[in-house]
Amino acid sequence: MSVYLPHQRGSLHSLPDDPAAYDTVLAAVTEEALARLTPEGNLEHPAAVEDIGDTSLGITALLALAERRTGNPALPEAVRRSTAFHLRERVFRTDNPGYPNLRVRDSGLPYARYVLAPGAHPIGDWPSTVWALLQAVNVLDTAEDLLADDQYDSLLATAHGYWRWLTEATFFNPQEAANQAIGCVVGGLMLAAHLPVGDAKSVRTEALRLYETEIRAHRVRDRGALLPPEHGGAYDNNYGPISLSFLAQAHRAGGEQVFADDGDELARYLDARLAGSGFDIGGPRYSEQHSAFESVLGLRYFGARIGADLGRYRGDTRWSRHAVQADGGLDGHFAFMLVWQIQDTTSWHRTPSTSPVRHQLRSGQVTVSFDTHLTPALIEAADTVAIPAAVNRQHGFGPVTDGHLLSRPMGEIRVRDARADGLTAKLITKPVVTRDHTLRHVRSLYVTDGAHLWTVTVVERLPGSPYFLAGLPYVTADGDRLRRIETPAEGWAHSPSDLRLTHPDAASPYHFTSASPLTQEQAAFALAADPRGYGNPDEGWSHLTTTTALEAQPLADSPADLHVFAVRYGAPAQPFTPVITRTETGLRVRSTEFTALIGPLEGDEQGNPTLTLTR
């Protein structure tokens, strides 16, 4: 039975985003919403239980935007009735039993509930109130002339109350989720535009202070970038791109350069970690779950700013335009993101950035995305992806000797990029230490023509019977979906020495085989400390002892004082048979595909490696 990744589907830039396409979306929303509208003014999906505090008002905002664009005479009354419903039925002022994050009891300030029943999962009330604030300011922006004066004033007072509850009555950002926190800042910036001068200045000043002291000051470094932290980690596949969208709206609404600068940094990081196909893996809350319409604004806005095809990101296209319930029916949750992306006129930047990037090698259909330690986090070639394999609880790609994986650096990692006649290459020199405390220098050369990836790894001669851990073949493209694979296609991986696919002997959560029916995320959560959705899947996955792995033997005819490993990834081609020889100026790697001269170990005047590449 085929196992597909459930949430990573089509690339988001494949969705039409011209005005006519969005008018079609709004027409469908309008038709479904008007048919659903109850006499009381409720626009919620009948099956909605969680994330409900903002949903009816979210559809109200979409209807107000549709009225602006179409003048549909049925919409003003629907907007007024549904706004009245929210103000009457979905604004709470009595403390929710069990809510743990209050700073002020019985404040009487309004808030939105994640679940309507008192005491039912109250932990979600803070983000739900952020979302309700954002839906409210969108209605204020687009429906001022549709609402009666007293209704407009009541909604504005409620929105201001939401802001005060978020910033005064409770601890700020209690879930340590940057997307929620930046969303709150956006709400403050947009709210300020509707308030009297004095209140507007106070709210705006507080929003900018919170961003600087409570979000920006707590950024986490990963792969050379400072990133807004998501649920205790630097980046999350679901929430990271949502944060990018909030940074885009913060820049659009507030204009401060800091939002553009931080968004640019997050966007460049995202571009570096994404495979060319848009596949990504890893995160402190979700390893393989991707957002969809929630990410479009940020990917499009910042992709254009940095000149990168961020829209290749594989989203969950079941949520391609707006949130839906299990039956496919419209849900108003997070509808503010659809409003903003319709209002923003930025076009997708569809061509890859060509500038060399420290943590990525990308050309054509080949991508190597590197982690902080410059070990591949994924290798993609010919529509198939390999992720780090594990041996003895050590994860990565690299030489293994006596059960010890030589991939963790003990010193500075040096990088050199080169290009020549359609080839792109990266040389990484990494000092490592063996179990007996002997220093070794692992030099890894990656060369691609856009269709194949050739890798050569050189290290001072190792004791025992070393081999090269060449990855866990994980998924392959199958139409618009990604399918788990047991074995890569014939010839996808090749080595001039013996290359074999090995599998763990033991059957337990600590051993992952390619024949497992589980996805990486499911296997990771089985070992996470907390329940699925709250634990850290990256941490859980790190507890794996062994995985299925490609293992390559060293080349037989290499310099006597070196071990050399060579692996080719990609569509079948002529055998990769590199010859490695010493010269007066370094190591020459000669094959039918390329010749590379790797300079002396001591490098240039600054100690950086040197690399000369020819076709």
Side-chain angles (χ1 to χ4, degrees):
M1 182 180 70
S2 294
V3 175
Y4 292 91
L5 301 191
H7 299 279
Q8 298 196 44
R9 298 177 182 236
S11 292
L12 292 179
H13 64 198
S14 298
L15 294 167
D17 63 347
D18 57 277
Y22 279 133
D23 283 340
T24 299
V25 172
L26 285 175
V29 167
T30 297
E31 181 180 8
E32 183 173 348
L34 292 178
R36 175 187 299 170
L37 183 65
T38 68
E40 297 78 22
N42 188 354
L43 287 169
E44 294 162 359
H45 190 287
V49 175
E50 299 177 345
D51 273 319
I52 197 169
D54 69 308
T55 62
S56 183
L57 194 61
I59 299 178
T60 303
L62 289 172
L63 295 181
L65 180 61
E67 197 281 335
R68 287 280 189 190
R69 295 168 72 93
T70 67
N72 184 333
L75 293 179
E77 177 61 21
V79 168
R80 287 190 286 269
R81 283 171 55 193
S82 57
T83 300
F85 169 81
H86 178 84
L87 292 171
R88 186 179 64 250
E89 303 290 344
R90 294 297 178 258
V91 178
F92 293 85
R93 296 180 181 273
T94 302
D95 295 350
N96 199 353
Y99 185 71
N101 301 315
L102 289 176
R103 298 168 59 199
V104 179
R105 289 183 56 195
D106 302 320
S107 69
L109 291 170
Y111 68 94
R113 286 186 178 174
Y114 177 76
V115 176
L116 296 179
H121 205 79
I123 196 70
D125 290 354
W126 200 87
S128 286
T129 304
V130 174
W131 313 148
L133 169 62
L134 293 171
Q135 313 284 25
V137 293
N138 274 342
V139 174
L140 293 170
D141 278 353
T142 55
E144 182 174 1
D145 57 346
L146 302 181
L147 302 177
D149 289 346
D150 59 341
Q151 198 174 39
Y152 176 90
D153 293 343
S154 180
L155 183 61
L156 177 58
T158 299
H160 195 185
Y162 284 155
W163 170 258
R164 292 189 58 203
W165 187 85
L166 290 164
T167 59
E168 298 174 20
T170 76
F171 289 97
F172 185 78
N173 190 21
Q175 295 185 22
E176 297 182 355
N179 76 95
Q180 300 171 9
I182 303 171
C184 183
V185 167
V186 171
L189 295 174
M190 295 182 69
L191 172 67
H194 296 275
L195 294 173
V197 174
D199 289 338
K201 182 178 180 181
S202 174
V203 169
R204 182 181 177 87
T205 299
E206 179 67 0
L208 296 177
R209 185 196 70 80
L210 287 168
Y211 183 73
E212 193 64 38
T213 63
E214 299 297 328
I215 301 171
R216 201 164 194 265
H218 297 280
R219 289 180 299 170
V220 179
R221 185 175 296 277
D222 186 40
R223 308 187 195 192
L226 284 172
L227 307 171
E230 292 293 345
H231 292 280
Y235 176 85
D236 184 276
N237 285 331
N238 185 47
Y239 295 121
I242 295 176
S243 280
L244 194 64
S245 286
F246 280 130
L247 286 170
Q249 182 62 13
H251 188 234
R252 293 179 70 238
E256 282 74 15
Q257 186 63 33
V258 66
F259 298 124
D261 292 342
D262 291 354
D264 288 349
E265 186 165 11
L266 176 55
R268 291 191 180 97
Y269 168 87
L270 176 59
D271 187 38
R273 69 175 288 145
L274 274 184
S277 68
F279 170 78
D280 192 14
I281 195 164
R285 185 161 177 182
Y286 297 111
S287 283
E288 295 175 338
Q289 294 195 40
H290 281 45
S291 50
F293 80 97
E294 313 100 308
S295 304
V296 167
L297 175 66
L299 296 170
R300 197 170 66 195
Y301 191 84
F302 285 105
R305 281 184 56 89
I306 69 170
D309 58 334
L310 295 184
R312 70 186 188 274
Y313 177 97
R314 283 183 179 265
D316 191 338
T317 49
R318 294 170 298 183
W319 281 37
S320 59
R321 299 300 193 180
H322 48 69
V324 297
Q325 285 288 331
D327 64 357
L330 169 68
D331 190 307
H333 177 55
F334 246 68
F336 47 81
M337 282 294 189
L338 178 56
V339 172
W340 298 340
Q341 65 174 273
I342 292 174
Q343 293 172 332
D344 180 58
T345 57
T346 306
S347 298
W348 286 112
H349 184 97
R350 297 181 181 277
T351 56
S353 172
T354 57
S355 301
V357 176
R358 180 175 174 85
H359 291 90
Q360 186 192 71
L361 175 70
R362 182 184 173 201
S363 176
Q365 302 303 306
V366 171
T367 306
V368 186
S369 176
F370 298 93
D371 65 16
T372 292
H373 300 307
L374 275 297
T375 297
L378 63 85
I379 288 176
E380 179 179 72
D383 296 324
T384 296
V385 175
I387 61 176
V391 57
N392 293 341
R393 211 182 296 274
Q394 304 160 93
H395 296 236
F397 292 74
V400 178
T401 180
D402 296 329
H404 183 62
L405 174 62
L406 300 178
S407 67
R408 291 171 300 283
M410 184 62 70
E412 191 64 27
I413 306 169
R414 308 298 184 104
V415 179
R416 177 72 73 177
D417 291 281
R419 289 181 178 173
D421 298 327
L423 298 175
T424 307
K426 188 182 292 286
L427 173 65
I428 297 172
T429 301
K430 185 185 301 187
V432 301
V433 176
T434 63
R435 287 206 186 279
D436 63 359
H437 297 259
T438 302
L439 180 67
R440 292 283 188 269
H441 296 85
V442 177
R443 287 178 282 179
S444 300
L445 174 66
Y446 304 85
V447 182
T448 180
D449 62 355
H452 308 90
L453 174 69
W454 301 282
T455 70
V456 176
T457 299
V458 180
V459 62
E460 295 96 335
R461 200 154 190 88
L462 298 167
S465 302
Y467 64 91
F468 186 82
L469 196 65
L472 160 62
Y474 183 57
V475 291
T476 191
D478 188 349
D480 286 340
R481 302 292 301 277
L482 291 170
R483 175 173 51 83
R484 278 283 320 280
I485 53 174
E486 292 190 29
T487 58
E490 183 70 26
W492 179 80
H494 162 80
S495 175
S497 59
D498 180 43
L499 180 70
R500 59 183 180 174
L501 188 68
T502 65
H503 306 279
D505 293 331
S508 84
Y510 294 94
H511 305 277
F512 184 84
T513 73
S514 58
S516 168
L518 300 177
T519 65
Q520 183 268 356
E521 180 179 273
Q522 291 168 329
F525 269 124
L527 297 174
D530 297 303
R532 179 178 174 83
Y534 299 94
N536 184 337
D538 278 358
E539 182 182 359
W541 185 257
S542 72
H543 295 158
L544 279 172
T545 301
T546 55
T547 65
T548 291
L550 287 167
E551 298 177 358
Q553 297 303 306
L555 301 187
D557 52 350
S558 54
D561 60 337
L562 299 175
H563 271 125
V564 180
F565 307 90
V567 179
R568 187 213 74 224
Y569 303 86
Q574 60 187 12
F576 180 39
T577 54
V579 176
I580 290 81
T581 56
R582 286 196 181 278
T583 71
E584 292 182 356
T585 53
L587 286 176
R588 177 179 287 113
V589 180
R590 186 189 298 275
S591 71
T592 56
E593 297 82 11
F594 66 89
T595 297
L597 181 62
I598 300 173
L601 191 58
E602 58 269 22
D604 60 15
E605 293 81 1
Q606 289 78 41
N608 292 317
T610 61
L611 173 64
T612 303
L613 180 68
T614 57
R615 193 64 139 148

